[in-house]
Amino acid sequence: MKIIKLQHHEIPPYDLLLLADPSYELVEAYITDGECYVYKENEDIIGVFVIVPLSEVTVEITNIAVRGDRQRQGIGKKLLQEAIKVAKSSGYEWIEIGTGNSSIGQLALYQKCGFRISDVIKDFFIQHYDKIIMENGIQCIDMIRLRLEIQ
Ligand code: ACO
């Protein structure tokens, strides 16, 4: 499975990026600050992740998404493993990721890949998003932060 870095002249896959984060403004901000990687089949983008440095030793996966019709086929796990590999080869010691309290599948995926819960940012989604977000019948209110030591 070939995952490649999106070049500066290429248009980021906003449809996928907005699946993971409904805020266009936040997506714009972190694709400007970070690096966007895509998984393509022929010319179609099937998956994406974005990594943004937080410090000299820590990098964050700010976005990870797989096209709706290709979810639950192992692609998200492969993208996450590739993000870890990229961060490791760039010399980072820690990789972080944040998701909503209601994102049950995402929390399962991240922990299956070795991430441990490190923090909870209370009310994050109420303070930063205009609309109420519901998933799995649960309101998305708090951000669960997870991290993995990679060196
Ligand atoms: N419900 C329960 N468990 C799930 C779910 C789900 N909906 N999705 C993934 N998992 C868990 C399972 O444990 C799964 O293992 P299994 O298939 O053996 O049961 C494991 O994750 C690996 O699943 P993959 O098939 O590799 O995951 P997928 O290719 O579907 O990608 C992703 C996961 C990226 C979360 C995808 O579902 C997606 O794009 N969702 C919409 C966007 C999104 O929410 N992105 C994350 C937001 S947070 C952030 O971006 C930092």
Side-chain angles (χ1 to χ4, degrees):
M1 188 165 137
K2 205 165 168 219
I3 297 166
I4 49 169
K5 190 165 148 183
L6 199 75
Q7 299 305 305
H8 289 296
H9 65 274
E10 292 181 289
I11 299 166
Y14 286 104
D15 52 341
L16 290 185
L17 293 163
L18 291 166
L19 268 186
D21 189 334
S23 166
Y24 183 81
E25 287 72 27
L26 288 182
V27 167
E28 268 294 286
Y30 56 67
I31 54 175
T32 304
D33 293 345
E35 292 175 349
C36 183
Y37 288 79
V38 293
Y39 164 56
K40 279 188 192 176
E41 281 176 4
N42 303 314
E43 282 312 299
D44 297 333
I45 298 181
I46 310 293
V48 65
F49 68 81
V50 180
I51 50 171
V52 178
L54 295 182
S55 72
E56 273 185 19
V57 293
T58 307
V59 69
E60 175 171 359
I61 301 170
T62 54
N63 193 303
I64 181 164
V66 174
R67 206 173 72 188
D69 63 330
R70 298 298 305 278
Q71 290 175 9
R72 297 306 294 268
Q73 296 172 16
I75 298 171
K77 198 178 215 172
K78 291 225 169 67
L79 287 169
L80 198 56
Q81 287 165 345
E82 180 68 16
I84 295 167
K85 215 163 90 184
V86 169
K88 200 170 179 175
S89 64
S90 307
Y92 291 102
E93 293 171 21
W94 294 91
I95 185 161
E96 296 195 1
I97 194 160
T99 194
N101 58 286
S102 49
S103 299
I104 306 298
Q106 292 80 343
L107 286 166
L109 169 61
Y110 306 153
Q111 291 178 86
K112 281 184 180 180
C113 288
F115 285 78
R116 301 267 312 270
I117 293 174
S118 56
D119 206 359
V120 177
I121 306 178
K122 292 254 183 200
D123 299 322
F124 180 89
F125 291 95
I126 292 177
Q127 285 165 4
H128 292 86
Y129 293 81
D130 296 335
K131 290 193 182 133
I132 289 178
I133 305 168
M134 294 294 296
E135 284 176 300
N136 303 303
I138 305 166
Q139 186 177 348
C140 184
I141 299 172
D142 305 314
M143 181 187 277
I144 313 291
R145 302 284 309 174
L146 301 100
R147 69 195 320 228
L148 172 71
E149 191 169 9
I150 48 176
Q151 296 294 344

